[in-house]
Every structure is written in structure tokens, then in C-alpha cells.
């Protein structure tokens, strides 16, 4: 059973930065796709950034140029580096995974993914 545990959320002022981490366990496949999603109160879940085991990356237009997704294969950890944060980035951030690779346009589509973490809250104040 794949398990995902997010960490690194918190409160920050506008213009600040945070780095989220997602620690994955329970799978041995070399091929996988992982992503970050976020959901603000009263809004639909939004794909932020996705990454394949071969290094292919998809970034949502809303965060392009500010957020970076990366991975540490050895430690099975996914990261989301967030910079120049704005209050509109306030949301619960979730890590998601599937044990197959994703084609680019599906890397930030929620129904692509089979496994989800519990989320970590990010709050940006103005």
C-alpha cells in the first residue's frame, strides 16, 4: 500500500517562500508519477505541478515561474519549492501518486492519481 506524508506547510507573509515535502513509501516500481494539488475553502482541487519518474514535469500556468517541483529518488521524496507567495496561494496542499507514468496533460489532473496524502496547510497573509 502506497503511503504519502506531506510536511513543510505553515504561515508566511506575501512574497515569502516555503518548501513542501512528500515522503512516499510502500511501492517498488521504477515508474511512477507524482504531483502536488491544492484546494482552498469553497474551491475545487487544483493541480499545481506533476512529475514523472523519467523527469518529465508539468507546471500549472497559475504558478509557473514561482513554483518548482523536484524529487529525491534515493529518499523517495517529492518537493514543491514555492516562492513569491501571494494570499491566493493559501490552500491545503496535497501530494498524489500513481505507480505508472503520466502523459504530460494528465500530470496535474486529479483523476489520474490513485494515492493521496492527508495534506499540509499553507497560509499566506498580505
Amino acid at each position: 500500500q502506497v503511503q504519502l506524508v506531506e510536511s513543510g506547510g505553515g504561515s508566511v507573509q506575501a512574497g515569502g517562500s516555503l518548501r513542501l515535502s512528500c515522503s512516499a513509501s510502500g511501492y517498488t516500481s521504477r515508474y511512477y508519477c507524482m504531483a502536488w494539488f491544492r484546494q482552498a475553502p469553497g474551491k475545487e482541487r487544483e493541480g499545481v505541478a506533476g512529475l514523472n519518474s523519467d523527469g518529465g514535469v508539468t507546471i500549472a500556468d497559475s504558478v509557473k515561474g514561482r513554483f518548482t517541483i523536484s524529487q529525491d529518488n534515493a529518499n523517495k521524496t517529492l518537493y514543491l519549492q514555492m516562492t513569491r507567495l501571494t494570499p491566493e496561494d493559501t490552500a491545503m496542499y496535497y501530494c498524489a501518486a500513481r505507480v505508472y507514468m503520466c502523459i504530460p496533460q494528465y500530470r496535474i489532473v486529479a483523476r489520474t492519481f490513485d494515492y493521496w496524502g492527508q495534506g499540509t496547510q499553507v497560509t499566506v497573509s498580505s
Side-chain angles (χ1 to χ4, degrees), residues 1-5 23-28 76:
Q1 181 72 13
V2 176
Q3 292 186 323
L4 305 171
V5 179
S23 178
S25 62
Y27 71 91
T28 57
K76 292 187 177 179

Side-chain angles (χ1 to χ4, degrees), residues 23-24 27 32 71-79:
S23 178
Y27 71 91
Y32 56 85
Q71 61 181 332
D72 179 342
N73 287 332
N75 294 314
K76 292 187 177 179
T77 302
L78 183 74
Y79 299 102

Side-chain angles (χ1 to χ4, degrees), residues 87-106:
E88 289 68 38
D89 295 315
T90 295
M92 184 71 79
Y93 284 71
Y94 298 92
C95 176
R98 72 186 299 237
V99 291
Y100 304 98
M101 290 202 288
C102 304
I103 57 177
Q105 58 264 45
Y106 285 100

